[in-house]
Amino acid sequence: MTKQSGLHVAVVGATGAVGQQMIATLEERDFPIGKLTLLSSARSAGKKVLFKGEEVTVQEAKPESFEGVNIALFSAGGSISKELAPEAVKRGAIVVDNTSAFRMDENTPLVVPEVNEGDIKEHNGIIANPNCSTIQMVAALEPLRQEFGLQRVIVSTYQAVSGAGAVAIEELKEQSKAILNDEPFTPEVLPVKSEEKHYQIAFNAIPQIDKFQDNGFTFEEMKMINETKKIMHMPELEVAATCVRLPVVTGHSESVYIELEQDGVTVEQVKQLLAHAPGIVLQDDPANQVYPMPADCVGKREVFVGRIRKDLNKDNGFHMWVVSDNLLKGAAWNSVQIAESLIKLGLV
Amino acid sequence: MTKQSGLHVAVVGATGAVGQQMIATLEERDFPIGKLTLLSSARSAGKKVLFKGEEVTVQEAKPESFEGVNIALFSAGGSISKELAPEAVKRGAIVVDNTSAFRMDENTPLVVPEVNEGDIKEHNGIIANPNCSTIQMVAALEPLRQEFGLQRVIVSTYQAVSGAGAVAIEELKEQSKAILNDEPFTPEVLPVKSEEKHYQIAFNAIPQIDKFQDNGFTFEEMKMINETKKIMHMPELEVAATCVRLPVVTGHSESVYIELEQDGVTVEQVKQLLAHAPGIVLQDDPANQVYPMPADCVGKREVFVGRIRKDLNKDNGFHMWVVSDNLLKGAAWNSVQIAESLIKLGLV
């Protein structure tokens, strides 16, 4: 579609789980689009997608697809980004990349707008969108870092299958049906499609997301550790992560333990701070059983925080429970938000 | 059923999820039973249960039901235990109680045989079986405490619905079917049957198990904290817990972070120690995607440990993933194991 004024935006991976949410979010936010180009692999090219009531035909992504594009949102896997993001930049586009391809590249800012929007100014054509589980955590940590200082983070995640794409959602649903009907099934997608072994996800918990590294941590765990330090500009921050896949369709949850620099902070102070922090919704009222849950966060852009408790042993220790829609704040919304920041900062 | 020699064993709560596993475990272990008395509420009395090929009729539990009983295994809720366990003791029975009624009573030993079997000798008629999530954790921690000393534990749990009884299993299955078929449903059991609000458990995660305490922790979390200190005889141990209910039928998982007293311990040392520890099975081979999962532990009596990693910041810090069948080691098997210890120690 073309509109007289506005930006030329491309979405790469337009038919995927995140790509679909990107298109929906652009529409919902009334992003100033003059022309929308939807790109995908050859396999999905030709599909039609509705945007603001008009049909847009998905085209195969090629280097020349990016001629005239102002902003390109990539979410089609790391190898596609590695191949085509530089081609888009070469043609004048600013790329917001939702894969791990450039996240730890020192010339590429890694941005969660609530945390480090200013880093966008340092971009060299590509701005990386962090890993889903990292984004929601740093959004909750940053207000605490600013006010009280932050020394240490230990997180255990409860991650939804949609982080592994539409095929993983399908696998969870089909497997659940098979188990409930006492029928046989063969896992083929989770924990990692390209790995040798696949395990039941329905009514199970798999302590592996992405591949194992030599140090025994998974790549997902190392993403949380390294990206958190980069986004928060705290190379010395002590971060540890254990990442677990659950039979949840959408919505990542995190049990987060932190140690602040400052002693004597109260639960009430932490709650007040988070209640007024950008992009955060405080849901913390144990007496009325109010706390965040993945089933409640689906379709919402905020990060929900609850179960805030002071550690019983460490005066500077706090526990909390952080939940967000991994396809929105964890991916599509954070990418569109970066695009909005580009406009706000006058960079596009 | 009556056999010439052997003990008179009573199971209270014989028709419940744990009671059924107690009966199956007694049979599987070929426990030396002369007479088996199965007791329940008036509502379930009259049901027939198979034990070693013979039908046993369940009777209503009353004070006089315990006449002549040597060992009574209780798993029918705290109020039943409070009412009937003293009656059983009065009549000469030794009670192994799988409720929270007497766990923190200073005259009642709280026992995981791999950890503190000797405490059984101090009993005054009742021996308490710890909370399911506590048992599997302390079984994994004790070998480490013995060898390297233990300072600190931070655990986030991933708990199965069967811990909330047969009605919770039914709710998970019916809700899952309803969601997959796009049909309406009304949560009525989880997170806590007696609480005002009930939430969706299928394809969700609920960060509440048992009721909230004044300090913001749930009773389940405080059980893990207080019971761990009591069982390990470490009132000074720093323990923190966040307990979460998942759409898993059976099998609790735990993401456990520990700090040892000793510095310089290697992952290999921890693995070797756990590989040879009583009741523990080491499943830790990341290169071959080997780690414990709830779906694999169902029906097994051991505690499975994997994902052992040294913390990247603290030399004495380690992360691990601990999984066990919450109805067996977490309840029925630990109770029967205590009964076996009573025989072994010559106390019955």
Side-chain angles (χ1 to χ4, degrees):
Chain A
M1 58 161 290
T2 311
K3 210 169 82 175
Q4 211 54 15
S5 67
L7 298 165
H8 183 176
V9 174
V11 175
V12 187
T15 59
V18 173
Q20 288 289 305
Q21 295 294 329
M22 283 174 167
I23 296 164
T25 304
L26 287 168
E27 177 165 340
E28 206 176 295
R29 297 289 297 174
D30 203 13
F31 194 84
I33 291 180
K35 185 175 179 186
L36 180 66
T37 296
L38 301 183
L39 303 169
S40 72
S41 63
R43 193 169 41 83
S44 295
K47 286 190 183 172
K48 289 180 196 309
V49 173
L50 269 188
F51 182 76
K52 295 193 174 179
E54 288 181 40
E55 267 192 354
V56 184
T57 304
V58 179
Q59 303 161 44
E60 185 184 350
K62 294 177 182 171
E64 51 275 24
S65 311
F66 299 96
E67 295 291 351
V69 167
N70 300 109
I71 297 177
L73 307 178
F74 274 70
S75 191
S79 55
I80 302 288
S81 288
K82 277 183 186 150
E83 183 194 334
L84 291 179
E87 297 290 342
V89 173
K90 207 186 288 176
R91 287 166 177 81
I94 297 179
V95 169
V96 181
D97 182 35
N98 185 40
T99 75
S100 63
F102 301 99
R103 283 180 194 153
M104 295 311 296
D105 179 294
E106 58 181 18
N107 296 311
T108 304
L110 182 66
V111 176
V112 177
E114 291 88 345
V115 180
N116 62 335
E117 188 180 43
D119 288 359
I120 294 177
K121 294 178 206 152
E122 313 298 323
H123 84 80
N124 295 294
I126 302 175
I127 297 146
N129 192 78
N131 185 48
C132 46
S133 50
T134 311
I135 294 176
Q136 66 184 69
M137 185 171 78
V138 297
L141 294 182
E142 176 62 10
L144 298 167
R145 184 199 67 77
Q146 281 182 22
E147 191 74 13
F148 308 118
L150 188 64
Q151 285 177 337
R152 186 165 202 209
V153 182
I154 299 174
V155 57
S156 295
T157 72
Y158 300 67
Q159 295 184 232
V161 298
S162 57
V167 284
I169 299 176
E170 194 55 26
E171 175 158 283
L172 169 59
K173 289 185 176 172
E174 290 308 313
Q175 238 176 53
S176 301
K177 279 181 201 164
I179 291 172
L180 291 166
N181 295 324
D182 214 7
E183 288 164 358
F185 62 92
T186 308
E188 287 172 349
V189 177
L190 290 165
V192 182
K193 201 165 186 324
S194 62
E195 287 259 75
E196 199 180 329
K197 294 180 188 166
H198 299 103
Y199 300 123
Q200 171 187 335
I201 183 62
F203 307 105
N204 197 17
I206 307 180
Q208 180 189 0
I209 300 183
D210 218 321
K211 297 192 178 189
F212 282 100
Q213 312 293 291
D214 289 342
N215 64 359
F217 286 77
T218 59
F219 188 43
E220 183 85 355
E221 288 159 357
M222 293 312 299
K223 281 186 266 186
M224 289 197 80
I225 292 167
N226 293 323
E227 293 180 16
T228 297
K229 295 180 187 188
K230 178 170 175 175
I231 298 164
M232 301 187 82
H233 298 279
M234 297 184 77
E236 75 296 349
L237 183 66
E238 296 184 359
V239 191
T242 299
C243 292
V244 181
R245 189 75 77 188
L246 297 191
V248 170
V249 175
T250 299
H252 286 353
S253 307
E254 297 174 344
S255 171
V256 185
Y257 169 74
I258 57 168
E259 285 172 15
L260 302 174
E261 264 176 23
Q262 200 173 307
D263 277 333
V265 177
T266 66
V267 166
E268 204 42 52
Q269 281 178 287
V270 172
K271 285 189 185 179
Q272 279 307 310
L273 191 68
L274 289 172
H276 301 97
I280 302 288
V281 174
L282 182 73
Q283 291 185 328
D284 195 338
D285 180 5
N288 291 302
Q289 293 179 265
V290 174
Y291 36 70
M293 289 184 285
D296 291 341
C297 80
V298 178
K300 295 174 185 157
R301 289 191 295 267
E302 294 87 355
V303 173
F304 301 87
V305 184
R307 299 284 344 261
I308 299 170
R309 291 152 287 156
K310 189 153 188 156
D311 189 66
L312 300 175
N313 303 293
K314 290 245 188 265
D315 185 50
N316 65 337
F318 287 87
H319 303 271
M320 55 188 182
W321 177 250
V322 180
V323 178
S324 194
D325 185 324
N326 53 299
L327 297 178
L328 292 181
K329 184 58 184 165
W333 164 230
N334 198 70
S335 288
V336 172
Q337 208 179 357
I338 291 170
E340 291 186 357
S341 295
L342 281 167
I343 297 174
K344 184 176 132 193
L345 296 170
L347 296 171
V348 76
Chain B
M1 58 160 290
T2 312
K3 212 168 82 175
Q4 210 56 10
S5 65
L7 298 165
H8 183 178
V9 174
V11 175
V12 186
T15 60
V18 172
Q20 288 289 305
Q21 295 294 329
M22 282 174 166
I23 297 163
T25 304
L26 287 168
E27 177 165 341
E28 206 176 295
R29 297 290 296 178
D30 203 14
F31 193 84
I33 291 181
K35 184 175 180 187
L36 180 66
T37 296
L38 301 183
L39 303 169
S40 73
S41 63
R43 193 170 41 84
S44 295
K47 285 191 185 171
K48 288 180 196 310
V49 173
L50 268 189
F51 182 76
K52 295 194 174 178
E54 289 181 39
E55 267 190 356
V56 183
T57 304
V58 179
Q59 304 162 44
E60 184 183 350
K62 294 177 180 171
E64 51 275 25
S65 311
F66 298 96
E67 295 291 351
V69 168
N70 301 110
I71 298 177
L73 308 178
F74 274 70
S75 191
S79 56
I80 302 289
S81 288
K82 277 183 187 150
E83 184 195 334
L84 291 180
E87 297 291 343
V89 172
K90 206 186 289 176
R91 287 166 178 80
I94 298 178
V95 168
V96 181
D97 182 34
N98 186 41
T99 76
S100 63
F102 301 99
R103 284 181 193 151
M104 295 311 295
D105 179 291
E106 58 181 19
N107 296 312
T108 304
L110 182 66
V111 176
V112 177
E114 291 88 343
V115 180
N116 62 335
E117 187 180 43
D119 288 359
I120 294 177
K121 293 179 207 152
E122 314 298 322
H123 84 82
N124 295 294
I126 302 174
I127 299 147
N129 192 78
N131 185 48
C132 47
S133 50
T134 311
I135 294 176
Q136 65 183 68
M137 184 171 78
V138 297
L141 294 182
E142 176 62 11
L144 298 167
R145 184 199 68 74
Q146 282 182 20
E147 188 74 14
F148 308 119
L150 188 65
Q151 284 179 338
R152 188 167 199 208
V153 181
I154 300 174
V155 57
S156 296
T157 71
Y158 300 69
Q159 295 184 231
V161 298
S162 56
V167 283
I169 299 176
E170 194 56 26
E171 175 158 282
L172 169 59
K173 289 186 176 172
E174 289 308 315
Q175 238 177 52
S176 301
K177 279 181 201 166
I179 291 172
L180 291 167
N181 295 325
D182 214 7
E183 288 164 358
F185 61 92
T186 308
E188 288 174 346
V189 177
L190 291 165
V192 182
K193 201 164 186 327
S194 63
E195 287 261 75
E196 199 180 329
K197 295 180 187 166
H198 299 103
Y199 299 123
Q200 172 187 335
I201 183 62
F203 307 105
N204 197 17
I206 306 180
Q208 180 189 359
I209 299 183
D210 219 320
K211 296 192 178 189
F212 282 100
Q213 312 294 291
D214 289 341
N215 64 359
F217 285 76
T218 59
F219 188 43
E220 182 83 356
E221 289 159 358
M222 292 313 298
K223 281 186 265 185
M224 287 196 80
I225 292 167
N226 293 324
E227 293 180 15
T228 297
K229 294 179 187 188
K230 177 169 175 175
I231 298 163
M232 299 185 84
H233 297 280
M234 296 184 77
E236 77 295 348
L237 182 66
E238 296 185 359
V239 191
T242 299
C243 292
V244 182
R245 188 76 75 188
L246 296 191
V248 169
V249 176
T250 300
H252 286 354
S253 307
E254 297 173 345
S255 171
V256 184
Y257 169 73
I258 57 167
E259 285 173 13
L260 302 174
E261 265 178 22
Q262 198 172 311
D263 277 333
V265 177
T266 66
V267 166
E268 203 42 50
Q269 281 178 288
V270 172
K271 285 189 185 177
Q272 279 306 312
L273 190 67
L274 290 173
H276 300 97
I280 302 288
V281 174
L282 182 74
Q283 291 185 328
D284 196 336
D285 180 5
N288 291 302
Q289 294 179 267
V290 174
Y291 36 69
M293 288 185 286
D296 291 340
C297 80
V298 178
K300 295 175 184 156
R301 288 191 295 268
E302 294 87 356
V303 173
F304 301 87
V305 184
R307 299 283 344 260
I308 299 169
R309 292 151 287 155
K310 188 154 189 156
D311 190 65
L312 300 174
N313 303 292
K314 290 244 188 264
D315 185 49
N316 65 336
F318 287 86
H319 303 270
M320 55 188 184
W321 177 250
V322 180
V323 178
S324 194
D325 184 324
N326 53 300
L327 297 179
L328 291 180
K329 183 58 186 166
W333 164 230
N334 198 71
S335 288
V336 172
Q337 208 180 357
I338 291 171
E340 290 186 358
S341 295
L342 282 168
I343 297 175
K344 184 176 131 191
L345 296 170
L347 296 171
V348 75

